[in-house]
Amino acid sequence: MRIGVLAIQGDYGKHRQMLESLGQEAPLVRTERELKECDGLIVPGGESTTLTILLQKHGLWDPLHAFGRRKAIFGTCAGLILLSREVRDHKLASLNLIDLEVERNAYGRQIDSFIDRVRLDLRGTPGSMEGVFIRAPRIIACGMEVTPLGWHHEEVVAAENEHIMVSTFHPELTESTLLHRHFLTKVSRFLHD
Ligand code: GLN
């Protein structure tokens, strides 16, 4: 299985390391051709405005949208912002691949970064992990076909629909591979489509 890591901007190196530690080939993706060779894709955290502009400039916006309708994408933090249906008070387009309404930088300035426990329920498998929240977005509303996978207190901080998986925090910055392993299972479901 080839899980690409979008390497236009942001925290792609750590995602790659984590995938490789799980025995996966994890090519960096910067072009449409590289994207086409992948079975799944991680869109890392970074800065969503910059990422959006660069993806459009590199001609990757439409290919990414088409990819997410057939194969699995895991978006973390800024990646989640890009994949969501609606971003509150944001003028740039989003890919609208998962029915979430989100708010950017939603934890305020003083506490824009923190680490705290996240409770998981990965489709019947309970667990928990450390969540690293860096100028993180908040999920304001989840659509009917979205399944929550993780909570910080009562708030949903990780979720998925058929093809797309997201977290508001950075799972690649911890020791826990739970979310990445869940994503590998998701990718494998669309291998022969
Ligand atoms: N605040 C950033 C944004 O709006 C996201 C931060 C992150 O990806 N860690 O794009």
Side-chain angles (χ1 to χ4, degrees), residues 60-85:
L60 269 170
W61 189 259
D62 293 336
L64 199 57
H65 188 259
F67 188 94
R69 297 182 76 95
R70 289 175 32 246
K71 296 181 180 179
I73 302 182
F74 181 16
T76 60
C77 205
L80 169 149
I81 296 171
L82 249 67
L83 294 164
S84 294
R85 174 179 56 78

Side-chain angles (χ1 to χ4, degrees), residues 87 97 126 147 151:
V87 185
L97 286 167
T147 305
W151 296 260

Side-chain angles (χ1 to χ4, degrees), residues 128-192:
S128 74
M129 67 184 288
E130 203 107 278
V132 181
F133 295 82
I134 305 173
R135 293 183 60 77
R138 255 193 170 116
I139 296 174
I140 307 294
C142 281
M144 293 277 281
E145 79 285 8
V146 175
T147 305
L149 299 173
W151 296 260
H152 177 242
H153 302 301
E154 296 310 312
E155 284 182 1
V156 174
V157 291
E160 67 178 352
N161 66 11
E162 191 187 359
H163 290 93
I164 308 298
M165 181 177 157
V166 291
S167 66
T168 63
F169 57 94
H170 285 258
E172 79 284 6
L173 296 180
T174 62
E175 298 288 297
S176 172
T177 55
L178 283 172
L179 282 187
H180 284 77
R181 280 188 281 143
H182 184 77
F183 183 59
L184 298 187
T185 312
K186 195 173 180 67
V187 174
S188 65
R189 255 185 258 138
F190 304 107
L191 271 187
H192 304 295

Side-chain angles (χ1 to χ4, degrees), residues 23-70:
Q24 290 301 318
E25 219 183 315
L28 297 181
V29 171
R30 295 195 175 96
T31 64
E32 186 176 356
R33 220 179 93 208
E34 288 164 345
L35 179 64
K36 282 209 168 112
E37 288 163 2
C38 297
D39 303 307
L41 183 77
I42 292 187
V43 181
E47 216 289 312
S48 55
T49 309
T50 313
L51 255 170
T52 304
I53 292 168
L54 290 176
L55 284 169
Q56 290 173 344
K57 202 167 138 190
H58 291 223
L60 269 170
W61 189 259
D62 293 336
L64 199 57
H65 188 259
F67 188 94
R69 297 182 76 95
R70 289 175 32 246

